[in-house]
Amino acid sequence: MATNMPSAFESYARSYITDVMNCPEMQAPDPTASGQYHETLRILHNSHTAGGPDAARQSWTKLLELYPDLKHLAPAVSSRHMLTVDELKNLPPLEWIIPGMIPKRSLVEVHGPPGSGKSLFVLDLALSMAKRSPVIYVCVEGASGNVIRIDAWEKKYGETANPNLKFYIHSVNLLDEDEVEDFITLARPQNAELIIFDTLARCMIGGDENSARDMGMAINACDRIRDATGASILLVHHTGKSGANERGSSALRGGCDSMIEIKNDDDIITISSSKLKDGTPFETLQYVMVKYGESVVLEPRNDTERAMKPDVKLKDTDRKVLEMLALPIYTTIGAAYRWSGPQKV
C-alpha cells in the first residue's frame, strides 16, 4: 500500500537541505551520510557560508532548475521564509506512505474510544511498515502489553518483527521545548518514515487538551519533529464522552493533514477517514479481532466465514431487522430492501 522506501542518504539530504535553508550556522555535510547527494549539499553549504540561509535558498532554486530530478529532496514548506512563485512550483508533488491515508511528511491523528482497537491497528501499521523503512513508536501506555501483541502478530504472519521498528517507552512532553529538542536529537539518526506518539494525552504532560493554546503548542512541536526528521507524525488519541469525535480542542482537527476514526461495533472494527486535507480518502475498512497466542490480531472481516461460525454475534441493527422480518405481516407480502419512511394516508 505504500511508496518505495527513501534511502538513508535521501533522508539525510532532505534533513540537511531543510537546515541549511533555515539555520544561521551549519557544518559541512558528512560525506559518508550524504552519499550520492554530497555534491549537492556541498554547493548549498558553500552558498550558506557566503550568504547565509537566503543564499542557500537561492542556490537550491537554481539547482532545481538545472536538475529537476532533485525535487524529491525538497524539504517541507517552512513558515520561516517567503516563497516565490517559482519556488512554490518547484515544491514536490504530494507523496504517500499509504495512499489516501498517510501522506509523507504529514501530521496524522487516529482516534477512537477505549477498546476500539486503536493500538492494535497502529501497531500492525508500524510492524508492517518496518519491513521497508524505519519506524519509531513512542509507547507511553501499555509498553509491556505490546510484547504479547507483537508475539501474536509474529504467530499470525510467521515472521519476526523487523528491527527497523524502534520503541521509545518514555513520555515526550510536546509542551516542553527542551524535551522536544532532546527527542529530535535521538530520532534524527534513525531516518524514520513514521513516528508514532501513543497517546497524545500522555505526551501533553501538564497541558489542557481543551485549550487551543496548549493543543497549538503540541501541534507546533509535531511540526518541529517532522521538519527535523522528514518523518510523518501519527498521534493516537481518544474520543470524547459521546465517542463521536476526537477529544479536546478543535485546533487538533485544524492542524492535521489526515484523521482516521476507529469504531468497535459488536466486535467489528471499522476504520474510516475522518479528514483528509488533500487527495482521495481511503475506502472504509472493516476488521475482526482474531486470537493468536495470548493476544489478538486484526484480520479483514469476511462475512461468509463469520456467518458459518455458530458463535457469530449480530449487530443490534441486524437483530432488530431480523425481528421485524419475523412479524406475521411480512410472511406473505415480503419486505423491500429499502424503506422510504412512513407513508401519508
Side-chain angles (χ1 to χ4, degrees), residues 18-297:
T18 298
D19 290 343
V20 80
M21 293 196 294
N22 292 286
C23 298
E25 297 182 4
M26 284 295 297
Q27 294 182 346
D30 181 349
T32 59
S34 53
Q36 67 265 39
Y37 304 112
H38 180 68
E39 185 62 21
T40 298
L41 303 190
R42 187 187 66 80
I43 292 171
L44 293 175
H45 178 258
N46 290 342
S47 298
H48 184 283
T49 301
D54 286 340
R57 286 194 289 271
Q58 292 173 11
S59 291
W60 175 243
T61 300
K62 293 296 183 184
L63 282 170
L64 287 179
E65 291 176 0
L66 293 172
Y67 308 104
D69 289 346
L70 293 176
K71 280 187 178 182
H72 69 287
L73 296 179
V77 179
S78 170
S79 59
R80 286 172 285 187
H81 72 279
M82 303 295 181
L83 294 176
T84 66
V85 172
D86 287 340
E87 288 174 328
L88 188 65
K89 290 180 179 179
N90 282 324
L91 290 176
L94 181 65
E95 297 178 279
W96 296 95
I97 293 176
I98 300 178
M101 183 182 289
I102 303 179
K104 282 193 173 185
R105 298 179 291 279
S106 65
L107 178 59
V108 180
E109 185 257 22
V110 174
H111 62 267
S116 60
K118 297 187 301 294
S119 292
L120 280 174
F121 168 70
V122 171
L123 180 60
D124 181 272
L125 180 69
L127 287 163
S128 299
M129 279 190 56
K131 296 177 186 180
R132 60 177 181 79
S133 59
V135 177
I136 298 174
Y137 198 131
V138 180
C139 181
V140 187
E141 292 186 356
S144 59
N146 274 329
V147 175
I148 60 172
R149 289 174 178 171
I150 293 172
D151 182 65
W153 187 91
E154 291 178 332
K155 283 182 169 63
K156 155 71 177 173
Y157 293 102
E159 58 186 273
T160 302
N162 196 292
N164 271 334
L165 175 57
K166 302 293 175 59
F167 286 89
Y168 186 74
I169 57 173
H170 311 283
S171 174
V172 178
N173 190 351
L174 297 172
L175 306 183
D176 186 313
E177 290 189 4
D178 291 337
E179 280 199 31
V180 171
E181 196 58 42
D182 288 344
F183 179 74
I184 288 173
T185 301
L186 185 66
R188 180 180 279 172
Q190 302 298 325
N191 296 319
E193 190 173 20
L194 182 68
I195 299 176
I196 299 165
F197 290 91
D198 188 0
T199 62
L200 173 59
R202 295 295 295 271
C203 292
M204 285 183 64
I205 301 170
D208 180 1
E209 291 179 354
N210 295 306
S211 164
R213 176 182 178 275
D214 288 355
M215 190 63 79
M217 289 175 63
I219 293 170
N220 286 339
C222 290
D223 289 343
R224 283 177 58 197
I225 297 169
R226 180 198 62 197
D227 290 346
T229 63
S232 288
I233 309 300
L234 189 151
L235 306 173
V236 181
H237 195 34
H238 297 294
T239 54
K241 291 181 179 180
S242 67
N245 294 301
E246 68 280 358
R247 195 169 67 190
S249 170
S250 60
L252 177 60
R253 179 164 288 269
C256 285
D257 299 289
S258 174
M259 300 186 81
I260 301 165
E261 182 176 25
I262 299 183
K263 292 181 179 179
N264 185 339
D265 186 2
D266 288 335
D267 294 331
I268 296 175
I269 313 299
T270 301
I271 301 171
S272 58
S273 176
S274 180
K275 173 190 174 180
L276 187 64
K277 188 175 180 181
D278 297 301
T280 302
F282 67 95
E283 294 184 1
T284 297
L285 307 170
Q286 287 193 327
Y287 294 88
V288 292
M289 295 182 187
V290 180
K291 188 173 177 64
Y292 285 87
E294 297 181 26
S295 188
V296 295
V297 173

